[in-house]
């Protein structure tokens, strides 16, 4: 597979991963974002082909049959997968960022041991809970499910190459940029 370096990011929901990655990509314009396919519905402002490829469950199953994914997983009742061809094409051009959960991250590491796994962690458990609740758009049951999942995800962070704490977005992004600069040399 291609000449670029692959950086895989994970982090519990509510940790602010998307905001951090936005800052990282704004400062390192050479990084290409791997757009995943998902069966979940688009959120307000999300664009097909930019944030995700939004597909039906049938289309997703078809892609599995065609071996079109490097990895895929079910998460909170929806499927998510990394399209193989797109990833290979992007890696031919340069460095790529994947934003996927731990099961997918470990599958990528197995397929491509030179991939660098970076986990974005909250400053504390209390802060993660506070951030999740302050989103306001999530019911108690959803929050409980997300917290349970977050606890498992935090446990998985031990298996990552780097763990970066998101206390403050800019500082966290700068730390990640340093890791990328070092690993992509
Ligand atoms: P969300 O629905 O909030 O955008 O994403 C939910 C979770 O799915 C996040 O942890 C995100 O990192 C993960 N995810 C997004 N794309 C993929 C993918 O292609 N594969 C896997 N395994 N997880 C993904």
């Amino acid at each position: 597979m291609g000449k670029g370096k692959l950086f895989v990011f994970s982090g519990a929901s509510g940790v602010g991963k998307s905001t951090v990655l936005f800052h990282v990509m704004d400062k390192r314009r050479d990084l290409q974002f791997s757009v995943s396919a998902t069966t979940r519905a688009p959120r307000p402002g999300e664009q097909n082909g930019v944030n995700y490829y939004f597909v039906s469950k049938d289309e997703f199953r078809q892609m599995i049959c065609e071996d079109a994914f490097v990895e895929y997983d079910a998460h909170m009742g929806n499927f998510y997968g990394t399209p193989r061809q797109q990833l290979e094409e992007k890696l031919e051009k340069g460095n790529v960022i994947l934003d996927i959960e731990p099961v997918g991250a470990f599958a990528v590491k197995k397929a491509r041991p030179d991939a660098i796994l970076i986990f974005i962690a909250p400053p504390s458990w209390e802060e993660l809970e506070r951030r999740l609740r302050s989103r306001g758009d999530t019911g108690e049951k959803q929050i409980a499910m997300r917290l349970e999942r977050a606890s498992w995800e935090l446990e998985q962070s031990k298996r990552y190459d780097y763990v970066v704490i998101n206390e403050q977005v800019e500082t966290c992004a700068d730390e990640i940029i340093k890791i990328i600069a070092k690993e992509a040399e």
Side-chain angles (χ1 to χ4, degrees):
M1 250 200 239
K3 55 187 174 195
K5 194 95 187 169
L6 185 51
F7 294 93
V8 182
F9 288 88
S10 306
S13 100
V15 81
K17 183 179 50 169
S18 312
T19 318
V20 170
L21 288 186
F22 179 81
H23 278 262
V24 170
M25 296 189 73
D26 191 46
K27 287 188 181 161
R28 280 228 30 175
R29 294 295 174 106
D30 61 305
L31 296 172
Q32 307 164 87
F33 184 72
S34 162
V35 182
S36 296
T38 184
T39 58
R40 85 149 162 76
R43 296 191 185 118
E46 284 185 332
Q47 284 179 290
N48 191 34
V50 177
N51 306 90
Y52 282 106
Y53 291 106
F54 295 99
V55 300
S56 67
K57 287 211 162 104
D58 279 348
E59 284 169 317
F60 200 96
R61 280 192 206 103
Q62 182 63 30
M63 290 175 81
I64 296 173
C65 290
E66 290 165 356
D67 195 27
F69 295 119
V70 178
E71 62 73 37
Y72 66 91
D73 194 37
H75 185 72
M76 310 288 273
N78 288 299
F79 287 108
Y80 295 82
T82 305
R84 187 186 302 281
Q85 193 184 342
Q86 180 209 178
L87 180 61
E88 282 171 9
E89 284 169 7
K90 286 186 170 163
L91 281 168
E92 275 305 317
K93 291 190 210 140
N95 301 323
V96 180
I97 279 189
L98 287 186
D99 169 356
I100 63 179
E101 50 66 63
V103 176
F106 300 141
V108 169
K109 185 82 172 178
K110 202 168 170 203
R112 230 191 119 99
D114 63 332
I116 303 295
L117 306 194
I118 303 174
F119 192 90
I120 304 179
S124 67
W125 180 256
E126 290 70 28
E127 178 59 16
L128 181 70
E129 195 167 344
R130 194 194 65 73
R131 286 186 197 173
L132 257 180
R133 289 186 189 284
S134 71
R135 279 178 162 188
D137 58 353
T138 336
E140 273 307 314
K141 203 173 153 204
Q142 277 277 339
I143 289 176
M145 271 167 69
R146 283 181 196 268
L147 285 173
E148 195 181 319
R149 173 79 189 180
S151 151
W152 177 80
E153 287 182 333
L154 279 175
E155 188 62 24
Q156 304 310 307
S157 68
K158 288 187 223 144
R159 295 172 61 191
Y160 279 65
D161 297 304
Y162 295 91
V163 177
V164 183
I165 294 172
N166 182 21
E167 176 97 53
Q168 206 266 331
V169 174
E170 287 281 342
T171 320
C172 178
D174 286 345
E175 207 173 314
I176 289 169
I177 286 166
K178 277 190 206 143
I179 295 170
I180 291 175
K182 182 175 142 219
E183 295 288 350
E185 262 169 15

